[in-house]
Amino acid sequence: MTPFTPIPESPSLWRNRSRWNVARFWNWTLRRRLHEFIAKQNQRELAPVFTAAGAQVTKEAGSSLPHTAVTEGQLKTLLAAVAASNSIDAPIVEIGSFRGVTTKALAAATQRTVVAVDPYLGEGGHEKDFALFREHTGGMTNVRHVRDVSDSAFTSWNGEPVSLVFIDAIHEYLHAWYDFAAWGSLVAPSGFVAFHDVDAFPGVNRVCQRVLKECPQWKPWAYAPNIAIFQRCD
Ligand SMILES: C[S@@+](CC[C@H](N)C(=O)[O-])C[C@H]1O[C@@H](n2cnc3c(N)ncnc32)[C@H](O)[C@@H]1O
């Protein structure tokens, strides 16, 4: 693993405890709310920073697509990173796959394996979304679904490097930061980390700001409204 940034404690550590647990209240509920409050107060436009860094910046999000919040323009930006990482012979990981539209697009654009991590536990994705995921990705031999939450899937990961991570699960700061620190640590040199909902969710926006400020190994690579992509450049 790369010594990028310490991997924080797993969100499941507290989330899975009883709601009446006092330690959970202090260490998770309050902390989470405080981080979201700070994120909301400090939300910033990312386009100017990405432009200044020489990244590819697209102004239009493009038209919406069925069964996903990812737009045409965002998908184009994401698929550009898939193409740019084609020489890295390592899987792509999608954290949060919902109805499988982005999973299918990722898998159709490469021969690499696309590992889709989504527990379908009712937080964003339900059983009916899982059924649509199966429908959309059925027959794609390079898709592997891991029915688990991000942190537990990471703990079970065999340490194999990855070429691109697409983070689009729980959009709160503590979760998105965990997803970046953990899964980002597996990204091979010149690989990518992409974040969806960087403008719509203050927590994800704050994670991107932190990456820009504290992680010089991650270079801003592309931005389209609501999606930001960093490339590992150490
Ligand atoms: C915004 S949707 C993903 C959208 C998908 N990438 C797309 O563009 O079509 C978020 C997904 O994250 C999943 N999710 C919720 N908690 C999760 C967790 N802890 N780890 C991984 N995925 C999670 C939900 O089940 C939901 O399907």
Side-chain angles (χ1 to χ4, degrees), residues 19 21 26 67 79-80 93 96-98 103 107 114 132 147 149 153 158 196 199 220 226 228:
R19 279 175 193 274
N21 182 305
W26 288 110
H67 296 296
L79 295 183
V93 177
S97 45
F98 194 50
T103 319
V114 175
L132 282 164
R147 191 166 189 175
V149 291
N158 61 7
H196 190 234
D199 301 316
N226 220 16

Side-chain angles (χ1 to χ4, degrees), residues 1-128:
M1 283 204 286
T2 49
F4 282 153
T5 183
I7 298 173
E9 68 183 16
S10 160
S12 297
L13 199 72
W14 295 109
R15 278 176 67 93
N16 293 348
R17 296 193 187 191
S18 152
R19 279 175 193 274
W20 306 108
N21 182 305
V22 177
R24 180 192 193 271
F25 179 74
W26 288 110
N27 288 304
W28 182 248
T29 313
L30 274 188
R31 222 172 107 228
R32 245 178 76 211
R33 286 186 192 163
L34 180 66
H35 277 294
E36 290 318 297
F37 176 78
I38 294 169
K40 212 166 171 183
Q41 304 308 310
N42 292 289
Q43 177 140 3
R44 300 269 180 280
E45 271 188 53
L46 297 174
V49 195
F50 274 68
T51 305
Q56 308 162 47
V57 174
T58 309
K59 293 221 165 72
E60 301 297 325
S63 46
S64 54
L65 296 166
H67 296 296
T68 177
V70 170
T71 62
E72 238 174 321
Q74 292 159 10
L75 191 57
K76 202 170 155 197
T77 303
L78 182 62
L79 295 183
V82 174
S85 58
N86 237 346
S87 60
I88 307 172
D89 184 18
I92 289 172
V93 177
E94 178 181 46
I95 312 295
S97 45
F98 194 50
R99 297 180 179 168
V101 174
T102 42
T103 319
K104 182 179 178 178
L106 290 167
T110 183
Q111 292 190 335
R112 283 167 277 168
T113 300
V114 175
V115 180
V117 177
D118 198 313
Y120 298 101
L121 279 176
E123 194 163 354
H126 299 74
E127 249 352 283
K128 65 177 175 13

